Amino acid sequence: MYKRQILDSPTNHLDLESIQAFNNALVSFKGIVLMTSHDHEFINTVANRIIEITPEDCIDRQGTYEEYLEWKKTR
């Protein structure tokens, strides 16, 4: 069974060194993490699935955040 974590903007109050250490830990984490963040680079390096929930729709895409943004441009 996978370990599961829910994180709400985990990097908001961290300095750059702490963000990098946290990023490295998440990349090697062998579980499921559901998170929100405003940190574009952080999301792009740790996320492999993007779920966007809007009032009209729910979009669920595999891939990095950059890939998601590119896909969204073509919609």
Side-chain angles (χ1 to χ4, degrees), residues 28-62:
S28 64
F29 181 70
K30 301 294 184 214
I32 298 167
V33 177
L34 177 63
M35 70 174 181
T36 63
S37 180
H38 297 283
D39 186 333
H40 181 108
E41 186 63 30
F42 178 73
I43 295 171
N44 199 50
T45 58
V46 300
N48 60 12
R49 180 178 178 184
I50 306 296
I51 301 171
E52 180 180 8
I53 301 169
T54 69
E56 297 82 28
D57 201 3
C58 179
I59 302 167
D60 184 354
R61 299 281 301 177
Q62 296 286 332

Side-chain angles (χ1 to χ4, degrees), residues 7-24 26 35-46:
L7 305 172
D8 183 13
S9 301
T11 60
N12 275 5
H13 302 289
L14 299 178
D15 61 17
L16 184 57
E17 187 176 298
S18 298
I19 291 171
Q20 290 172 336
F22 187 55
N23 185 321
N24 292 338
L26 282 179
M35 70 174 181
T36 63
S37 180
H38 297 283
D39 186 333
H40 181 108
E41 186 63 30
F42 178 73
I43 295 171
N44 199 50
T45 58
V46 300

